[in-house]
Amino acid sequence: MAKRIESPSSINTFKQCTRKYYYQYIIKYPTVPNIHQVRGNIVHSTLDNFYNIDTSSINEENYPLKFREIIQKLFMNYWNQYKPKLHSLNLNKDQEQFYFEETMLMLLNWTNHFIDDFKTILSQKKISPQEAFFTLTPIREKEFISDKYGVHGFIDAIHHIDDEVHIIDYKT
């Protein structure tokens, strides 16, 4: 049997329950989707694509409002794209509304932190809003493979901030 290359998810599954690991990664039984997986996909897509926006209309006066507007539009777009999967979970209206609102709140909190960082960079470096946005744009979806250790995975975002490197895994 060929040596299996492990991912962070498969390693965590093994640590949680070896039987679950066996069923999921060796026998490859299909997994049942749940709200946390679907919502995680929505948030991941929203945050990843936030960094692809057109910043030409963003200026030093409107950026807080624009960033909040953009994140909400992206979220709505992905929430609607995932509607069929959300409906397959058989959530009632109250549950769906709860997860929708909670996820929107998480994304707006993230956006508020981004706005704070954006404001700091604008004031400290005396650069244009477009340059500030570019400065805050991380390396995204970076793949790492180690044949030596038999591991493979993706890092959602890598931020280079001054002399520091911040490794980010988008989680809801």
Side-chain angles (χ1 to χ4, degrees), residues 84-148:
K85 281 193 179 183
L86 289 164
H87 288 298
S88 76
L89 301 175
N90 296 317
L91 302 173
N92 65 42
K93 293 276 186 207
D94 289 341
Q95 289 172 316
E96 187 174 331
Q97 186 66 29
F98 169 79
Y99 287 115
F100 175 87
E101 290 174 1
E102 185 181 57
T103 308
M104 177 69 83
L105 182 61
M106 280 186 235
L107 288 167
L108 287 171
N109 285 336
W110 178 90
T111 306
N112 288 337
H113 289 288
F114 181 87
I115 289 167
D116 290 344
D117 293 344
F118 189 86
K119 180 180 179 180
T120 300
I121 286 177
L122 269 181
S123 64
Q124 287 178 350
K125 297 194 176 195
K126 307 277 191 248
I127 57 179
S128 73
Q130 290 67 36
E131 290 170 311
F133 188 85
F134 179 76
T135 300
L136 287 173
T137 300
I139 297 168
R140 294 170 287 152
E141 293 300 313
K142 179 70 175 163
E143 182 177 24
F144 287 90
I145 301 170
S146 171
D147 292 327
K148 178 180 177 181

Side-chain angles (χ1 to χ4, degrees), residues 53-64:
I53 64 169
D54 176 10
T55 60
S56 61
S57 66
I58 294 172
N59 59 48
E60 291 184 32
E61 290 80 40
N62 72 5
Y63 70 86

Side-chain angles (χ1 to χ4, degrees), residues 15 39-40 44 62 75 81 94 96 104 132 136 151 158:
K15 287 171 64 178
R39 191 168 67 153
H44 187 279
N62 72 5
F75 171 62
Q81 279 187 31
D94 289 341
E96 187 174 331
M104 177 69 83
L136 287 173
V151 294
I158 303 171

